[in-house]
Amino acid sequence: MTDFNVLEKYLGIDTHTYHDNLLETLNYYIERYVLNVPFENINVQNGQPIALDNPSMIEKIVNEHRGGYCYEQNRLFCAFLTSKGYNVYMVSATIYNGSGWAMEGSHMALIVTLNQKKYLVDVGYADIPKAAMPITNDEEIVYDVNSEFKVSKVSDHTFEMKKKVDHKWQTQYQFEDEPKVLADFEQGIAFNQNNEASIFVQQLLISKATTFGRVTMSNNHLTITDHGQKEKKNITSGNYKYFLYRYFGIKDINIKTFD
């Protein structure tokens, strides 16, 4: 069984105050995680395997100050919440990019059942609220410094996660409320690591939540979002390491994207 103490210390979790299986505690865990662990696909860009077990992912986070994308982040967070006594399981989702759907079922998210109520939890997506999202018929809104978010019902077992953009609700992804295991994502994992049609193979993406918004880095730009206001900085092979350390705490790493 994994000892998560080192991860909790890295995340700055107050285990004395937050230890009960309450929604407040769940949201606290989510916030501490996303404020300290970036969403990133550096391993994919470098042609390296992703971290799909607890020891290697904790090593990546704690010692390298790195993160990962959905399979790495949500799988680890699922194990962490389970160790805390939460009723949590993985589900598959399909991302909508604004003009079309990605590979079906290739995104991993989590569902937590708490006091007979279900919540969508996702620490492995580049733009998500720092809290659990209720899965209810009345579409409860979760407010975040970045925007407003909600879960909408499509059918009995199908739902959509939506974000408000320019005063309109936009679907971010659709998910199925059906428990999955890591092996169910085998095709998606292979596709997003190796297939040139995958956005994660095509370009670098690093994104980290902040108390004031979000910082996101791509092949060409670093975008700082501060309470809805955006500032862009140019990224080059000569300055990317500075920005990696300055905004994400990642140092001593070469990214083939800039070779």
Side-chain angles (χ1 to χ4, degrees):
M1 188 173 181
T2 302
D3 181 359
F4 285 102
N5 288 334
V6 65
L7 178 64
E8 289 182 310
K9 184 176 180 180
Y10 179 82
L11 299 179
I13 289 176
D14 178 357
T15 56
H16 296 289
T17 303
Y18 297 93
H19 52 79
D20 296 322
N21 295 144
L22 304 173
L23 179 59
E24 179 185 12
T25 303
L26 174 61
N27 286 339
Y28 173 74
Y29 289 154
I30 294 170
E31 182 177 51
R32 294 309 306 162
Y33 191 94
V34 299
L35 286 175
N36 287 282
V37 184
F39 176 96
E40 51 101 339
N41 65 334
I42 296 174
N43 277 26
V44 175
Q45 291 290 295
N46 283 347
Q48 299 170 330
I50 59 175
L52 293 175
D53 61 79
N54 293 344
S56 60
M57 190 57 188
I58 292 174
E59 164 79 14
K60 194 178 177 188
I61 293 171
V62 174
N63 293 328
E64 299 178 31
H65 306 293
R66 296 269 309 282
Y69 60 159
C70 67
Y71 314 116
E72 300 171 287
Q73 306 265 47
N74 283 323
R75 191 214 58 78
L76 177 70
F77 203 64
C78 183
F80 171 70
L81 291 180
T82 299
S83 76
K84 292 296 185 181
Y86 282 93
N87 179 0
V88 53
Y89 53 90
M90 296 179 283
V91 296
S92 65
T94 305
I95 293 175
Y96 186 71
N97 62 18
S99 59
W101 296 93
M103 178 181 176
E104 183 177 355
S106 59
H107 178 62
M108 177 195 291
L110 306 175
I111 289 180
V112 174
T113 303
L114 197 57
N115 297 325
Q116 300 182 324
K117 186 174 181 179
K118 290 187 175 182
Y119 297 85
L120 175 67
V121 173
D122 196 338
V123 298
Y125 190 73
D127 192 0
I128 210 77
K130 297 184 283 293
M133 290 168 279
I135 302 174
T136 60
N137 290 328
D138 55 356
E139 300 187 358
E140 294 180 41
I141 295 174
V142 174
Y143 297 91
D144 189 84
V145 66
N146 289 309
S147 187
E148 299 174 17
F149 299 83
K150 69 177 182 178
V151 173
S152 298
K153 185 175 181 179
V154 176
S155 65
D156 286 346
H157 299 285
T158 305
F159 302 85
E160 290 183 345
M161 191 276 281
K162 296 182 176 181
K163 175 187 176 184
K164 185 170 280 189
V165 180
D166 296 329
H167 308 291
K168 295 181 180 179
W169 288 106
Q170 290 187 0
T171 297
Q172 303 298 295
Y173 60 74
Q174 188 174 100
F175 66 94
E176 302 292 327
D177 184 4
E178 180 181 340
K180 299 290 185 181
V181 296
L182 185 62
D184 294 322
F185 296 93
E186 184 176 339
Q187 287 187 325
I189 291 171
F191 175 84
N192 281 316
Q193 281 193 104
N194 306 306
N195 197 302
E196 292 183 359
S198 168
I199 188 67
F200 300 113
V201 174
Q202 292 172 4
Q203 65 181 45
L204 176 72
L205 180 57
I206 308 173
S207 188
K208 191 175 183 180
T210 66
T211 56
F212 56 81
R214 180 167 290 276
V215 180
T216 300
M217 180 173 164
S218 67
N219 297 40
N220 302 310
H221 298 100
L222 181 98
T223 303
I224 303 169
T225 305
D226 187 339
H227 295 88
Q229 301 299 311
K230 296 183 183 293
E231 176 189 0
K232 283 194 173 185
K233 300 177 183 289
N234 291 329
I235 298 293
T236 68
S237 58
N239 67 16
Y240 81 90
K241 289 186 178 181
Y242 165 78
F243 287 115
L244 270 181
Y245 183 65
R246 169 68 177 81
Y247 291 98
F248 304 100
I250 301 172
K251 61 180 180 179
D252 299 328
I253 187 169
N254 295 318
I255 302 179
K256 289 184 178 180
T257 311
F258 301 103
D259 285 351

